[in-house]
Amino acid sequence: MDHTLGLVRDLVGRCRVPAGTAVSMGRDFDPASVDGALSRREGTAQLDRVVKILEDYQDRLSAEATRGVLLVIQALDAGGKDSIIKHVMRGLNPQGVEVHSFKEPSDEELRHDFLWRCQRVAPERGRIGIFNRSHYEDVLVVRVHPELLQGRGGSDRPGTASIWKHRFREINDWERHLVANDIAVVKVLLNVSKPEQAKRFLKRIDRPEKNWKFAPSDIHERRYWDDYQRAFGDMLSHTSTEWAPWHVVPADHKWFARLATAAILAQTLIDINPQYPKVDASVRQQMAADRVALVAELRGSSES
């Protein structure tokens, strides 16, 4: 177990983006990078061990019910978001986890500020919330496609020079608010390469059981690859904070992306260190009396 905990700390350190760092995706991150000391088989075995850690700490988090966690997962199409949720969260109690996917905003959502749809489903204390895409869509997709701002008001009007600076500040302030209210914010960017994305799209086209995952719009968005890379870099540079840092996870190898993401979430829970609630002396005294009565009842049942 000590080896697994050491691996967790190492992976978190490798992926974390220090606050204030000026980020360039192509310069600073390799989507195909893996831990050279790990084979795929070893990495899969370590994932099983980390999932066990998650199970233990989630149970404590739920019982304590005074703190919570928000896991934000961002990636381009075919980056592995659904796979991460499926494999990393597989051992957790579904009653303590909520997953929310954020797609194209509805008319109702567009009538509110861009953070509204995420604010209303933020996790409560004692639970782990997962955002499959998130409030960051509004500094990524919308930045690459500014025409989506048509009809917005206030500082979100098209052509407003400070819109992205304004949104970065609002995101940072909101995440600081969550952390101040005992909701830890864990942010993971799954960094997939353009060739690997193409291979995954081909699987969706060639394998009938994956056809449902494919959309022509996915190919359309590949035309904006460089624009997205710049938007990612600016997002990381401005919103990786001391209270809610970003972690860039190499995602070309799914087994490694799963392990790294599980490690990042596990380290967050280890740092929180939730504890099972302790009962006071009067309750313990009553429990002892109830135990005596229950044991006597069972003994009487077996003797009759």
Side-chain angles (χ1 to χ4, degrees):
M1 183 58 70
D2 288 345
H3 175 67
T4 299
L5 292 174
L7 175 67
V8 165
R9 288 190 294 270
D10 179 62
L11 288 173
V12 173
R14 287 179 55 189
C15 295
R16 181 170 176 152
V17 179
T21 303
V23 170
S24 169
M25 294 299 293
R27 179 194 67 204
D28 297 328
F29 306 110
D30 177 6
S33 175
V34 298
D35 187 332
L38 283 175
S39 66
R40 177 172 182 166
R41 181 177 179 180
E42 292 166 335
T44 302
Q46 286 289 359
L47 176 60
D48 291 339
R49 297 185 185 101
V50 178
V51 168
K52 289 292 184 183
I53 294 172
L54 292 175
E55 290 178 25
D56 175 36
Y57 277 92
Q58 186 219 4
D59 196 48
R60 294 195 225 170
L61 186 79
S62 180
E64 186 186 66
T66 60
R67 291 170 288 183
V69 176
L70 172 61
L71 173 61
V72 173
I73 304 176
Q74 285 291 150
L76 291 173
D77 295 315
K81 300 181 297 298
D82 293 343
S83 173
I84 289 289
I85 295 170
K86 176 181 178 180
H87 290 273
V88 172
M89 313 307 288
R90 68 177 186 263
L92 274 61
N93 184 343
Q95 293 185 95
V97 179
E98 295 178 352
V99 181
H100 297 279
S101 297
F102 295 95
K103 302 183 185 298
E104 183 178 348
S106 67
D107 289 341
E108 180 187 19
E109 290 167 343
L110 288 172
R111 288 194 293 269
H112 292 81
D113 66 272
F114 78 96
L115 286 171
W116 179 79
R117 64 176 181 164
C118 295
Q119 290 173 330
R120 62 201 293 261
V121 292
E124 63 188 65
R125 297 182 184 97
R127 301 173 72 84
I128 297 174
I130 303 172
F131 284 0
N132 183 346
R133 300 187 188 271
S134 67
H135 44 299
Y136 284 96
E137 293 294 284
D138 285 279
V139 293
L140 292 171
V141 175
V142 177
R143 188 163 191 177
V144 172
H145 298 287
E147 65 274 11
L148 296 174
L149 289 169
Q150 296 295 333
R152 298 292 184 98
S155 61
D156 287 345
R157 287 192 301 271
T160 305
S162 62
I163 180 174
W164 309 118
K165 182 179 179 181
H166 176 79
R167 286 192 170 188
F168 290 144
R169 185 176 66 249
E170 288 195 323
I171 286 171
N172 290 338
D173 288 346
W174 181 56
E175 291 175 352
R176 186 194 284 270
H177 170 75
L178 290 176
V179 172
N181 284 274
D182 295 317
I183 304 296
V185 179
V186 187
K187 301 185 297 195
V188 173
L189 173 61
L190 301 174
N191 185 27
V192 67
S193 68
K194 195 173 184 180
E196 178 61 23
Q197 187 195 53
K199 293 176 185 177
R200 294 179 186 181
F201 282 161
L202 283 172
K203 285 184 180 179
R204 293 180 178 185
I205 293 171
D206 294 341
R207 295 171 61 174
E209 72 276 15
K210 290 185 177 290
N211 287 170
W212 65 274
K213 288 187 172 184
F214 183 77
S217 60
D218 296 340
I219 301 301
H220 174 78
E221 288 301 290
R222 276 175 65 82
R223 302 174 190 172
Y224 301 94
W225 183 272
D226 292 341
D227 295 328
Y228 275 108
Q229 297 304 301
R230 285 190 289 271
F232 279 134
D234 207 29
M235 175 195 77
L236 294 170
S237 299
H238 288 89
T239 63
S240 193
T241 58
E242 292 292 344
W243 56 89
W246 272 104
H247 300 82
V248 179
V249 170
D252 275 10
H253 301 281
K254 288 187 176 182
W255 68 267
F256 185 76
R258 293 165 186 165
L259 175 59
T261 303
I264 292 162
L265 180 57
Q267 187 62 61
T268 300
L269 288 166
I270 290 169
D271 291 341
I272 292 173
N273 194 25
Q275 301 295 316
Y276 292 111
K278 294 181 179 180
V279 298
D280 61 33
S282 62
V283 175
R284 287 198 302 272
Q285 186 176 8
Q286 183 61 52
M287 288 170 63
D290 290 340
R291 185 182 189 281
V292 171
L294 288 168
V295 169
E297 178 186 324
L298 289 173
R299 186 179 293 120
S301 309
S302 64
E303 292 174 353
S304 61

